[in-house]
Amino acid sequence: MSYRLTAPVPGWTTTTDVVVVGSGVAGLTVALNVRKAGLRAMVVTKAMLDDGSTRWAQGGIAAALGDGDTPEQHLDDTLVAGAGLCDEEAVRTLVTEGPDAVHRLIGIGAAFDQDADGAILLTREGGHHRRRIAHAGGDATGAEISRALVAAVRSDPGIELIEHALVLDLLTDADGHTAGLTLHVMGEGQRDGVGAIRARAVVLATGGMGQVFSATTNPAVSTGDGVALALRAGAEVTDLEFVQFHPTVLWLGPDAEGQQPLVSEAVRGEGAYLVDGAGVRFMAGQHELAELAPRDIVAKAITQQMQLQGAEHMYLDGRHFGAEMWEQRFPTILASCRSHGIDPVTGLIPVAPAAHYASGGIRTDLTGRTTVPGLYACGEVACTGVHGANRLASNSLLEGLVFAERIAADLAERHRTGDLPERSVDVAAARSARTAPLLAPETRAEIQRLMTHGAGVLRSAASMAATAEGLAALGREAGTHLDEGKPADPRVETWEAANLHLVATALVAAAVLREETRGCHWREDFPERDDAHWLRHLVTVLGADGTPEASAGRP
Ligand SMILES: Cc1cc2nc3c(=O)[nH]c(=O)nc-3n(C[C@H](O)[C@H](O)[C@H](O)COP(=O)(O)OP(=O)(O)OC[C@H]3O[C@@H](n4cnc5c(N)ncnc54)[C@H](O)[C@@H]3O)c2cc1C
């Protein structure tokens, strides 16, 4: 039996063919492509259409587009970054279908930076042995991709858009097939409050879960809702322990919380280097690529220097670029630094690692199907196997594009062969699933504090035991309030807190189990990679009591 969030009975119902949750690169690409197959699409999104991580992406999108580059070389770099846990078939799919997918994105209007002859300009980022990253507006790639996709969906009358709507849980029919979802629309209008959407299939494209940590590059909407919803619906999630911490996030003081400004890897790609407080470079000698080593190596090196020197941050030095290059190549980062009183043209940029990207997520196959029939996932919320233990820089926008197109192709084929019938669901009966207590809004900050202290860049059995106990105590407290007849009210803040609590608990369950250091999972008590025991994925499902249970799964 599945679980659901405590919520009022749906007061309205509507119907479509495919409902897509999320309006980043992944969700909008699915919607545009299922339309080509003659299916109706509905996109539901928590805030405004462009409010996910996609808009914030700076560096660019990786694809073998340059002279002399090949998908095979892109594959090699991706496999190295993934530290033994990439699914090679998934990576091969990404790198071979990637270049055409980027051209199709250009076809719908995304304008990438070009040289005087009209060739796409390519830069380098950590872990890439070639210039392979296409960018737009200098360092505003995500904003341009988002602009182009939003314009395209807005001009298609067959795509219905529901903004300011928080999706709560899945609806399934009597056969256990996905038949739609429940959601809460914020605001007044025909569809106000909790309702239901009936559909033949549901695609989750809800992005990341960076908000489980105190400091993150992710926007406020990235609360892991898709993973929480999928767990409650009985889906398998995998590789949750592999959270990428971006090495160079602008350090804004010890108490800074929530979304923090990113200083893209492309700044190091163009030649900026890391120094400590005394101006000494510390990456040379640590890795053949020095500052352009894969992110986990750079994040660990910065964290180690911070610990050794008792410092709260390190510095990035890009003064040698000069004002003109900063203004033309990195206008967003320059403006962001200056708005915080830091001038990269004349001074050093204080940086420290912060939570950036969830390499794991809802387990899918190469067509985006999850382990729940009729439920698909793509983009950052999914785990296609592309990233393994660590994502290679700028592979995520590409993954969102490529696998969104694959989901649409699978849905189109199922529709063509009659394998995508309308589903009937009794919305009231579907509510017989068990409910988990909601958490008070204040617990959001407590969850973030517990996760940052015990399950952040550095982890150990002891640190994670403390975090797990803290999370369990929050769950018990919510249960007690429920028993006393004083449960937290069902509303956006309490639903999000419940989702954050569930994904944090699941993440810690996996991270405790993996007793080795691999990719972006760094155990102080198990500092070595241990292929003999851990060259395998961890799979997490919700146990009978509603608690996430992780176990060693497929190699
Ligand atoms: C600062 C920053 C810089 C980055 N730079 C790069 C880069 O240069 N290159 C690269 O490849 N990647 C980069 N990334 C990562 C990349 O941007 C993301 O992985 C990618 O954009 C995710 O796309 P998505 O469509 O999966 O999710 P998102 O773009 O995050 O969209 C998720 C959507 O789901 C919606 N949503 C979430 N929960 C719910 C719910 N319960 N109900 C309804 N809607 C919901 C959100 O509102 C949002 O619309 C960067 C990320 C950040 C944060």
Side-chain angles (χ1 to χ4, degrees), residues 471-503:
L471 292 171
L474 290 176
R476 284 195 297 272
E477 198 179 299
T480 308
H481 290 152
L482 185 67
D483 295 343
E484 291 169 349
K486 291 182 275 182
D489 296 343
R491 58 191 161 102
V492 172
E493 293 78 8
T494 55
W495 287 318
E496 281 191 343
N499 285 338
L500 283 169
H501 184 257
L502 179 55
V503 291

Side-chain angles (χ1 to χ4, degrees), residues 21-28 44-62 125 133 141-142 162 165-168 183 205-208 216-219 221-226 229 246 259-262 264 295 355-358 378-382 391-400 496 499:
V21 189
S23 53
V25 62
L28 297 185
V44 183
T45 193
K46 208 192 288 197
M48 307 279 279
L49 278 184
D50 66 350
D51 268 333
S53 287
T54 297
R55 164 158 74 96
W56 295 96
Q58 296 178 342
I61 184 162
E125 288 191 319
I133 321 294
T141 312
I162 307 184
L166 179 88
V167 169
L168 301 169
L183 72 168
T206 52
T216 176
T217 59
N218 292 190
V221 291
S222 304
T223 48
D225 297 359
L229 178 163
H246 197 290
Q259 187 179 18
Q260 309 292 310
L262 178 68
S264 165
R295 281 184 187 168
H356 185 55
Y357 185 80
C378 59
E380 191 166 340
V381 73
R391 174 191 68 135
L392 183 67
S394 284
N395 266 357
S396 39
L397 290 170
L398 191 71
E399 187 200 26
E496 281 191 343
N499 285 338

Side-chain angles (χ1 to χ4, degrees), residues 169-191:
D169 279 305
L170 211 61
L171 291 168
T172 44
D173 68 9
D175 300 331
H177 192 284
T178 301
L181 47 77
T182 56
L183 72 168
H184 172 82
V185 178
M186 299 160 246
E188 287 167 19
Q190 272 186 317
R191 293 185 190 135

Side-chain angles (χ1 to χ4, degrees), residues 62-63 74 77-78 123-133 289 292 392-395:
H74 189 182
D77 287 343
T78 303
T123 189
R124 266 184 81 186
E125 288 191 319
H128 290 273
H129 282 84
R130 281 190 168 273
R131 284 189 167 260
R132 168 181 301 141
I133 321 294
L289 293 170
L292 284 178
L392 183 67
S394 284
N395 266 357

Side-chain angles (χ1 to χ4, degrees), residues 395-419:
N395 266 357
S396 39
L397 290 170
L398 191 71
E399 187 200 26
L401 261 188
V402 166
F403 286 88
E405 289 187 349
R406 294 192 130 241
I407 288 176
D410 190 58
L411 287 166
E413 180 59 12
R414 286 180 63 183
H415 185 48
R416 195 184 63 77
T417 57
D419 184 31

